[in-house]
Every structure is written in C-alpha cells, then in structure tokens.
Amino acid sequence: HLQLQESGPGLVKPSETLSLTCNVSGASIGSYNSYWGWIRQSPGKGLEWIGTIYYSGTTYYNPSLKSRGTISSDTSRNQFSLKLTSVTAADTAIYYCAGDQYESSWFKDWGQGTLVTVSS
Amino acid sequence: QSALTQPPSVSGSPGQSVTISCTGTSSDAGTSNRVAWYLQPPGTAPKLIIYEARNRALGVSGRFSGSKSGNTASLTISGLQAEDEADYYCSLHTGSNTLIFGGGTKLTVL
C-alpha cells in the first residue's frame, strides 16, 4: 500500500525559499513508469498543479510558476522534494505530494497535505 | 495555457443523479482522453475516482461514471448519498506534459 507523507517548515518568510520533502513508502520512486508530483491548494481555492518528476528524473512544471519551482528526487532515501524560490503571500497554501505507479496523467495516491504560510 | 471550466456548484436530493461538466478551451481538451476526476471532502486530500475520462479507480462505487464528448468531460453521480457531498475537480494532461485542474465544483446533497 503506497503512502506519502509531506514534511517541512510550516512558516516561510517572504522572498525566501520554501522547501518540502515527500517521504514515500510502499513503492520505489525509481520504479519504471512511476510519477511523483506536487499540487497545492490556497485557502478556500482549487487545486493547482506545481510539477511532476518522472521515474527517469525528467521534470515538468506549471508555466505559471515562472521557473521558481524545482522538484528533485533522492532514490536512496525514497523521497522527492520541492523548492519554491522568492515566495510571497500568494504561495500560502496546503501543499500535497502525490504519486502514481503507472501514469503521468493523474495521481492515484496522495499525502495528507501540509500547510505552508508565507509571512514575516 | 488551456483552461478547464466547471460549474461552481451543483446540488441534488438523495437518490437523484447529478452531472458535473468540465469544458476545456484547448485542442488538447478535444483530442485527449487524459482526463481524471477527483473528489475532495472538506479538510481531506483529493481522491482519484475516474481516470482516462471513463475508467473508475479501484474501489470506487459504481454510482460514479465518467464520459467525454468533444471538449467536454462529464462526471455523473447516480443514487446520490449524503456522503457524496464534497468538492469535485477534473484534470487534463496536456500534450506538453503539463497538468491542468478545473476550478472545482461543490456538490451539495439537499
């Protein structure tokens, strides 16, 4: 049974870098045809895709982030991470990590989410 | 960048059926079946219910069904139950390997 768990600071100052990690259990993030992503949800708003890292290490990002986001993976620790630079209050959101072991087009398994607040 | 439009809210009484639409603006929306639906009860993470426009995810009730015609995908929930009350989101995987979510639809069971 695949499980994902987000971790990281709950409070980040404006202009600084938001860093989150997703620990995966029940599957290897380097497994062929597995896909891992970050999605966020601002308070009271809808879902916004941030980006996806493929099992191969290839990454794709939401163009609206204007290159502020970077997703990386550490197969030795079976975790993947998100870094979002130059954050503003608009980046305050619940951040979810998610994965799918077969498809890049949707995510079957999700973490519980972690709230990150951007404030001085 | 394509956009997906969903009605902000729908409602129905227990036992009735409701349909939520998801209309895309790009050519991807018309040609791709890489559409998924998620439900999100309040305070919880989204749950995948439909993938590839019409396939139910494992363990999802047969009361949920998906379809697609042209640029519009639809999610139909039959035999409404109180537990179906949630936010519902569609998503589309584009030809440039990005993922777009619809704005979400709040389902109220009257």
Side-chain angles (χ1 to χ4, degrees):
Chain A
H1 176 59
L2 184 59
Q3 290 188 303
L4 300 96
Q5 178 67 58
E6 306 88 352
S7 61
L11 181 65
V12 182
K13 290 183 167 53
S15 80
E16 294 190 344
T17 296
L18 178 160
S19 295
L20 295 173
T21 297
C22 182
N23 286 285
V24 178
S25 60
S28 169
I29 65 169
S31 296
Y32 180 74
N33 246 14
S34 62
Y35 305 90
W36 311 94
W38 289 95
I39 300 96
R40 68 181 182 180
Q41 187 170 32
S42 300
K45 303 293 186 184
L47 301 173
E48 179 182 28
W49 174 74
I50 297 171
T52 300
I53 186 164
Y54 289 17
Y55 62 97
S56 59
T58 301
T59 51
Y60 294 96
Y61 299 100
N62 189 329
S64 70
L65 293 178
K66 299 187 191 307
S67 303
R68 293 192 299 126
T70 302
I71 299 174
S72 60
S73 63
D74 184 340
T75 54
S76 65
R77 296 185 177 187
N78 214 40
Q79 61 187 30
F80 61 103
S81 300
L82 168 69
K83 289 190 188 302
L84 189 64
T85 62
S86 305
V87 297
T88 69
D91 294 308
T92 293
I94 297 173
Y95 285 76
Y96 296 100
C97 62
D100 197 286
Q101 294 178 268
Y102 303 100
E103 268 291 340
S104 61
S105 305
W106 40 76
F107 294 111
K108 179 180 175 296
D109 298 288
W110 293 65
Q112 65 184 23
T114 186
L115 174 63
V116 178
T117 301
V118 178
S119 175
S120 55
Chain B
Q1 178 80 329
S2 178
L4 297 177
T5 300
Q6 299 180 231
S9 63
V10 297
S11 63
S13 299
Q16 288 186 332
S17 294
V18 294
T19 296
I20 301 172
S21 61
C22 170
T23 300
T25 58
S26 74
S27 58
D28 281 327
T31 58
S32 173
N33 276 337
R34 316 309 282 177
V35 174
W37 288 92
Y38 300 84
L39 75 82
Q40 185 181 33
T44 68
K47 172 188 174 183
L48 178 69
I49 51 175
I50 298 288
Y51 65 94
E52 205 168 7
R54 60 182 69 249
N55 297 314
R56 269 190 304 277
L58 193 64
V60 172
S61 168
R63 297 185 299 105
F64 292 87
S65 63
S67 63
K68 186 173 181 289
S69 177
N71 278 30
T72 298
S74 299
L75 173 70
T76 298
I77 309 167
S78 58
L80 268 181
Q81 299 178 1
E83 67 199 46
D84 299 331
E85 194 159 283
D87 293 327
Y88 290 81
Y89 294 91
C90 61
S91 72
L92 170 70
H93 187 253
T94 72
S96 52
N97 291 313
T98 62
L99 199 61
I100 305 167
F101 284 99
T105 299
K106 182 177 180 59
L107 169 62
T108 301
V109 181
L110 302 170

